[in-house]
Amino acid sequence: MPSSTARTSPPPNILVFLVDDMGWQDTSVPFHSSATPLNQRYRTPAMARLAASGMKFTQAYVASVCSPSRVSLLTGLNAARHRVTNWTMRRDRATDAPHPTLVPPAWNVNGISPDPATPRAICAPTLPGLLRQVGYRTVHIGKAHFGAADTPGANPLNLGFEVNVAGHAAGGPGSYLSEQGFSGAWRQADAFWDIPGLEKYHGTHTFLTEALTREALAEMERAVHDQCPFFLYMSHYAVHVPFAPDPRFIERYRDAGLDPTEAQYAALLEGMDKSLGDLLDALDRHGLSDNTLVLFLSDNGGLSAHGRGGPPHTHNAPLSSGKGSAHEGGIRVPMLVRWPGVTAPGSVCEEYTMVEDLLPTLLEASGAASRLPALPPTDGRSFVPLLRQTVVSAPERPLYWHYPNIWGPTGPGLGPFSAIRVGAWKLIYYHADRRFELFNIPADISETTNRLADCPATARALAGQLSDWFRQVGAQMPTDRDTGGLVPWPDVALAAATAGTGGPRP
Amino acid sequence: MPSSTARTSPPPNILVFLVDDMGWQDTSVPFHSSATPLNQRYRTPAMARLAASGMKFTQAYVASVCSPSRVSLLTGLNAARHRVTNWTMRRDRATDAPHPTLVPPAWNVNGISPDPATPRAICAPTLPGLLRQVGYRTVHIGKAHFGAADTPGANPLNLGFEVNVAGHAAGGPGSYLSEQGFSGAWRQADAFWDIPGLEKYHGTHTFLTEALTREALAEMERAVHDQCPFFLYMSHYAVHVPFAPDPRFIERYRDAGLDPTEAQYAALLEGMDKSLGDLLDALDRHGLSDNTLVLFLSDNGGLSAHGRGGPPHTHNAPLSSGKGSAHEGGIRVPMLVRWPGVTAPGSVCEEYTMVEDLLPTLLEASGAASRLPALPPTDGRSFVPLLRQTVVSAPERPLYWHYPNIWGPTGPGLGPFSAIRVGAWKLIYYHADRRFELFNIPADISETTNRLADCPATARALAGQLSDWFRQVGAQMPTDRDTGGLVPWPDVALAAATAGTGGPRP
């Protein structure tokens, strides 16, 4: 029977705890089939506590870079649809690095906007706006990065949030240190990167993560006082570059002999985890835990190229590569969900999910389905059935990635690409050289063996499904400098690659 | 390679020619595998001309009543999603007939609205609004019926149309006769039904269909003069009740011995067809035919209950039932598309399509994909590949119907229902008595044999797919007066119906 509980029981509070650039292995909680060396390195007891009392998702997917994920989270739309395919920064200006053979399409460089008249921006209903419509206090804390500077979407208050602390157009912090006023001036960065609204912490030796946590706690208390359900979007700047040593946690990692950069990174993670613990404690203290859905997620894979210590592209092992990549290291992240009375304590979900699933999931959980005039159409699917464990296995649902852009670094899976996953298989299409990779993910989580040559029918089916969907949503392809034409759809490219050869070549 | 022609060739003009309440057999063009007696009765030479020069769709589907179809056409959303599941009329007031055991849900009785603050209305981007954004002159002529009276959506000018002639909240004409001022006063109807904006024709002996045609021709000329591409939404009040004798065409049908009501109906159809011919002639005259996409459609099946002559529910034969019904007579309609250079003359498409496909189809045809910041998410799929005949067969795409409402008349397939079609099969779920019907449509187009008992696995699979989707979009179910609870989802009802019996019972 269709649930009508939403009308009678109070709607759950929702805490989305979003970490920036955190990789799948950046935690002591094992998301792989067994604990890995990285799980030993990092200390995240609050995540362990959340996992023990909720559900762990081992195959949670996001976009390979930040803005696409964040816009998908806010709108429930896939990046190929919303066209904010790369990270946003300044109005009307693309952030793509130069590329020898490709020119990126006219993607939505202005991000998301509440105003349909904003050029090169996606205008769509947002998760906070919809939750606010059904009575939630909607609070944004931390990194926003939804719209380019000097566009309406740069300000979370224009996107459905009633409260905004420290969120603006920038996708990273000027500094983590209050002694530096959270400004990028110390590194001669543009004032664009200066975090707004935390002036009272300047010079107080309060680490950025801690300052944001205190703000979140205050907002939680305010919502409790006002007796309204809250949507708290706790979006940490951590663990994005530029790293800084968090004095509260750095010693342990230095003592363990980690290189200085990696020690800073590990301490950033532990500080982030301490924030999670503080928020969970506050929920307990206010008696809210039983009626609060907590969702922990990262926005893309862990950084594995420039800026990290150690050998490149080893930071998400056993996953290949990292942020920006079509390989698992770029798109698979830790996700934990605790919804008392719904998620079984210590449960594990092995089904895959996608970042655009959050909006339909949280709308369903909030009971908005019966309180809004209609639910917005989305590319995402609610995974409430997975939380309830009422489905044994998800159907062969396709997931799509589309990144016709140039991030910069090189490495496995990096470069303009499109990809599809269905069941065990992931097909990746590299726009620059029309190359394909086909991996059986459960059998080869490190993506070492390209199965294109021995599974040509699977590759063709996936390329067809991906292309059909791209044509439907109007996915934008880059232009080839040499031919002046658009890069072909995956199915056309695959057919061309295999013409006369009897089969595709990797 | 992704098409980039939209950037270089001029966008096609678009003429959507929408008829009201016209059945699948209400034409001399054979939409069935062979010509039927009804094809002999009706005279629609302009439709035959369009079919000969374009593509005929034999399985074009729509909703079973008008507002759901029209809102789907304008938004690309399925009725279960947009929740305008029944026909709209007055602000905040439902139009459902009483029902002994069910209470309809809180559906969107105010229709579509440009203002998210309008209660019980769907707010979504519209086809005319999007086409206008990319430079089209958008013209509405005739019946609108998009929003309830005294809401913003009642006026097509608030929904993306630049021009509106004769469209308002009403779903039918006061009168077809200029001598009656197109008013319903002659039948003591409320002024609500009086057609606005045609005062210059009052008393001129101009039949309504003709007056609307002349207005459309004038608007077409204006667009030609202004050299802008046009979207002309020619939405006839014909052939909705109350019928009136069109003096230009009635004699032939009276002479043929048809009963008076059916003679009026046949003449209404011929008058509608003459309008189509006039518009096609005008396209030729202006040299526009080669760059104009013409799409002909009806909004729901032909009326087969009260108001028609002859035995009830015979008016769409060989289809069962008519308007309001889950059977084919209620949801399958004539569709013709002519897009020179794309559709092959005299071609036939046997794949099924759904009314919400029009928005993505026409956005693709107009080249809007590369000119809008993003394409809106829809439940419909573009059928441009079908027009181009680049796909041999559509995949096993599901179509969904959801009508948790009470129209009034009784007969086959009538009453609150949900339905799904996948491939050959259609499963219907009747909310009142939790009864199911399963038909193999190609094998049994008249829906005479319920296959529920001998194909239980098919029924279960379809019920599951339908229910999963309904849960995702938050489909609204009626309330059972006896239990006070919501009518169960189809999969739950089917499981209950088959528990302990070894199989479902029809």
Side-chain angles (χ1 to χ4, degrees):
Chain A
M1 182 162 305
S3 167
S4 56
T5 52
R7 292 181 212 159
T8 51
S9 58
N13 304 299
I14 296 171
L15 166 58
V16 168
F17 192 99
L18 186 67
V19 190
D20 198 17
D21 283 5
M22 178 189 177
W24 193 56
Q25 289 297 302
D26 293 344
T27 166
S28 49
V29 176
F31 280 83
H32 189 38
S33 49
S34 57
T36 64
L38 290 169
N39 297 151
Q40 311 297 335
R41 172 185 297 186
Y42 300 119
R43 226 179 97 83
T44 59
M47 285 183 68
R49 171 179 164 197
L50 188 60
S53 56
M55 183 176 275
K56 175 170 77 176
F57 285 78
T58 60
Q59 295 202 75
Y61 284 110
V62 292
S64 60
V65 296
C66 43
S67 297
S69 279
R70 286 163 191 264
V71 173
S72 291
L73 196 163
L74 238 62
T75 63
L77 304 178
N78 182 271
R81 173 104 59 190
H82 64 56
R83 298 184 179 175
V84 187
T85 47
N86 206 358
W87 62 283
T88 57
M89 190 169 167
R90 299 185 203 276
R91 186 179 175 111
D92 298 337
R93 301 235 318 251
T95 52
D96 300 272
H99 191 278
T101 61
L102 298 182
V103 180
W107 60 281
N108 279 336
V109 297
N110 290 328
I112 184 169
S113 173
D115 179 359
T118 306
R120 295 185 68 172
I122 175 77
C123 178
T126 65
L127 177 60
L130 294 162
L131 289 174
R132 190 176 180 180
Q133 249 182 282
V134 297
Y136 276 76
R137 168 82 52 88
T138 54
V139 178
H140 180 278
I141 309 275
K143 168 172 163 174
H145 205 194
F146 299 125
D150 304 318
T151 71
N155 186 346
L157 299 182
N158 294 328
L159 296 175
F161 287 105
E162 284 172 87
V163 175
N164 169 41
V165 178
H168 63 145
S175 163
Y176 283 100
L177 302 178
S178 67
E179 305 89 284
Q180 295 172 335
F182 310 122
S183 161
W186 63 279
R187 52 183 168 111
Q188 290 81 50
D190 194 295
F192 170 85
W193 298 99
D194 293 359
I195 298 177
L198 295 178
E199 289 73 13
K200 68 181 172 200
Y201 296 98
H202 289 188
T204 62
H205 294 276
T206 310
F207 203 75
L208 173 59
T209 308
E210 181 69 21
L212 296 175
T213 306
R214 290 190 199 159
E215 293 294 308
L217 292 171
E219 289 299 332
M220 191 190 291
E221 264 174 50
R222 197 127 57 106
V224 170
H225 176 269
D226 296 346
Q227 297 189 298
C228 52
F230 60 79
F231 169 57
L232 174 55
Y233 181 82
M234 172 73 255
S235 169
H236 276 292
Y237 281 95
V239 294
H240 196 284
V241 292
F243 305 150
D246 187 329
R248 300 170 298 169
F249 307 106
I250 189 78
E251 282 313 318
R252 174 198 312 272
Y253 302 102
R254 283 181 177 152
D255 292 350
L258 281 183
D259 90 30
T261 302
E262 292 305 293
Q264 288 184 23
Y265 187 78
L268 267 179
L269 279 168
E270 189 169 345
M272 170 282 293
D273 185 81
K274 191 254 181 195
S275 169
L276 175 65
D278 289 349
L279 291 173
L280 295 180
D281 286 345
L283 290 176
D284 286 347
R285 199 164 56 241
H286 293 301
L288 297 176
S289 294
D290 282 351
N291 195 37
T292 300
L293 188 159
V294 180
L295 190 151
F296 179 102
L297 190 74
S298 173
D299 68 340
N300 49 245
L303 189 66
S304 66
H306 63 300
R308 288 295 297 268
H313 302 308
T314 59
H315 304 80
N316 300 292
L319 303 186
S320 164
S321 204
K323 179 175 180 177
S325 174
H327 283 198
E328 296 290 293
I331 56 177
R332 190 193 287 216
V333 293
M335 182 164 88
L336 301 168
V337 182
R338 184 181 80 181
W339 188 12
V342 175
T343 51
S347 53
V348 178
C349 180
E350 305 268 0
E351 303 295 334
Y352 50 64
T353 60
M354 187 68 174
V355 61
E356 54 254 32
D357 296 346
L358 262 67
L359 180 140
T361 300
L362 297 177
L363 288 186
E364 182 175 354
S366 67
S370 56
R371 286 182 286 156
L372 287 168
L375 294 177
T378 59
D379 298 309
R381 292 180 58 97
S382 167
F383 53 74
V384 166
L386 299 178
L387 299 177
R388 296 192 188 278
Q389 293 181 289
T390 53
V391 289
V392 179
S393 173
E396 298 285 274
R397 170 195 178 188
L399 300 185
Y400 303 106
W401 290 265
H402 187 53
Y403 186 73
N405 299 85
I406 301 105
W407 184 48
T410 55
L414 285 157
F417 74 92
S418 302
I420 178 173
R421 175 153 181 199
V422 179
W425 296 95
K426 184 168 84 176
L427 180 77
I428 307 169
Y429 171 44
Y430 295 98
H431 301 168
D433 54 6
R434 324 308 196 234
R435 191 167 48 91
F436 289 85
E437 288 181 328
L438 177 68
F439 297 112
N440 183 319
I441 298 299
D444 179 23
I445 198 171
S446 303
E447 293 166 287
T448 58
T449 310
N450 186 351
R451 305 287 303 278
L452 191 67
D454 58 316
C455 300
T458 300
R460 269 195 301 274
L462 290 174
Q465 191 170 358
L466 178 62
S467 304
D468 281 349
W469 194 75
F470 276 6
R471 285 185 278 260
Q472 286 288 334
V473 303
Q476 301 173 297
M477 297 302 284
T479 297
D480 187 305
R481 288 182 195 278
D482 293 336
T483 66
L486 295 175
V487 168
W489 298 119
D491 55 354
V492 175
L494 185 64
T498 60
T501 68
R505 278 175 305 197
Chain B
M1 183 161 305
S3 167
S4 57
T5 52
R7 294 183 212 159
T8 50
S9 58
N13 304 298
I14 297 171
L15 166 58
V16 168
F17 193 98
L18 185 66
V19 190
D20 199 16
D21 283 2
M22 179 190 177
W24 194 55
Q25 289 297 302
D26 292 345
T27 165
S28 49
V29 176
F31 280 83
H32 189 39
S33 49
S34 57
T36 65
L38 289 169
N39 296 151
Q40 311 296 334
R41 172 187 296 185
Y42 300 118
R43 226 179 96 84
T44 59
M47 285 182 68
R49 172 179 163 197
L50 188 59
S53 55
M55 181 176 277
K56 174 170 78 175
F57 285 79
T58 61
Q59 295 201 77
Y61 285 108
V62 291
S64 59
V65 297
C66 43
S67 297
S69 279
R70 286 163 192 264
V71 173
S72 290
L73 196 163
L74 238 61
T75 63
L77 304 178
N78 183 272
R81 172 103 59 190
H82 64 56
R83 298 184 180 176
V84 188
T85 48
N86 206 358
W87 61 283
T88 57
M89 189 170 170
R90 299 187 204 275
R91 185 178 177 111
D92 298 337
R93 301 234 320 251
T95 52
D96 299 273
H99 191 278
T101 62
L102 298 182
V103 181
W107 60 280
N108 279 335
V109 298
N110 289 328
I112 184 168
S113 173
D115 180 358
T118 305
R120 295 185 68 171
I122 175 78
C123 178
T126 66
L127 177 59
L130 293 162
L131 290 174
R132 190 176 180 181
Q133 249 182 282
V134 297
Y136 275 77
R137 167 81 52 88
T138 54
V139 179
H140 179 279
I141 309 275
K143 169 173 163 173
H145 204 194
F146 300 125
D150 304 316
T151 70
N155 186 348
L157 299 182
N158 294 328
L159 296 174
F161 287 105
E162 284 173 86
V163 176
N164 169 41
V165 177
H168 63 145
S175 164
Y176 283 100
L177 302 178
S178 67
E179 306 88 285
Q180 295 172 335
F182 309 122
S183 162
W186 62 279
R187 50 181 170 113
Q188 289 79 49
D190 193 294
F192 169 86
W193 299 99
D194 294 0
I195 298 178
L198 295 178
E199 289 73 14
K200 68 182 173 200
Y201 296 98
H202 289 188
T204 62
H205 294 275
T206 310
F207 202 76
L208 174 58
T209 308
E210 182 68 22
L212 296 175
T213 306
R214 289 190 199 158
E215 292 295 307
L217 292 171
E219 289 299 332
M220 191 189 293
E221 263 173 50
R222 197 128 56 105
V224 170
H225 176 267
D226 296 346
Q227 298 189 299
C228 50
F230 61 80
F231 168 57
L232 174 55
Y233 180 81
M234 172 74 254
S235 169
H236 276 292
Y237 281 94
V239 294
H240 196 284
V241 291
F243 306 150
D246 187 329
R248 301 170 297 169
F249 306 107
I250 188 77
E251 282 312 318
R252 174 199 313 272
Y253 302 103
R254 283 182 177 151
D255 292 350
L258 281 183
D259 90 32
T261 301
E262 292 304 295
Q264 287 183 23
Y265 187 79
L268 268 179
L269 279 168
E270 189 168 346
M272 171 283 293
D273 186 81
K274 189 251 181 197
S275 170
L276 175 65
D278 289 350
L279 290 173
L280 295 180
D281 286 345
L283 290 175
D284 286 347
R285 198 165 58 242
H286 294 301
L288 298 176
S289 294
D290 282 351
N291 195 36
T292 300
L293 188 159
V294 180
L295 190 150
F296 178 103
L297 189 72
S298 173
D299 69 340
N300 50 246
L303 189 67
S304 66
H306 64 301
R308 289 295 296 269
H313 303 307
T314 60
H315 305 79
N316 299 294
L319 304 187
S320 166
S321 205
K323 179 175 181 177
S325 175
H327 283 197
E328 296 289 296
I331 56 178
R332 190 192 287 215
V333 293
M335 183 164 88
L336 301 168
V337 182
R338 183 181 81 182
W339 188 11
V342 175
T343 52
S347 53
V348 179
C349 179
E350 306 269 0
E351 304 295 334
Y352 50 65
T353 60
M354 187 68 174
V355 62
E356 54 255 33
D357 296 347
L358 262 67
L359 180 141
T361 300
L362 297 176
L363 288 186
E364 181 175 355
S366 67
S370 55
R371 285 182 288 155
L372 287 169
L375 294 177
T378 59
D379 297 309
R381 291 180 59 97
S382 166
F383 53 74
V384 166
L386 299 179
L387 299 177
R388 296 191 188 279
Q389 294 180 290
T390 53
V391 288
V392 179
S393 173
E396 299 285 274
R397 170 196 178 188
L399 300 185
Y400 302 106
W401 290 266
H402 187 52
Y403 187 72
N405 298 86
I406 301 106
W407 185 49
T410 56
L414 286 157
F417 74 92
S418 302
I420 178 172
R421 177 156 178 196
V422 179
W425 296 94
K426 184 168 83 177
L427 180 76
I428 308 170
Y429 170 44
Y430 296 99
H431 301 167
D433 54 5
R434 327 302 199 236
R435 191 168 48 90
F436 289 86
E437 288 181 328
L438 177 68
F439 297 112
N440 183 319
I441 298 299
D444 178 23
I445 199 171
S446 303
E447 293 166 287
T448 59
T449 309
N450 187 351
R451 304 288 301 279
L452 190 67
D454 60 314
C455 300
T458 301
R460 270 195 301 275
L462 291 174
Q465 191 170 358
L466 178 62
S467 303
D468 282 349
W469 194 75
F470 276 5
R471 285 185 279 259
Q472 287 287 335
V473 303
Q476 301 173 298
M477 298 302 285
T479 298
D480 188 305
R481 287 183 196 279
D482 294 336
T483 66
L486 296 175
V487 167
W489 298 119
D491 55 355
V492 174
L494 185 64
T498 59
T501 68
R505 278 174 306 196

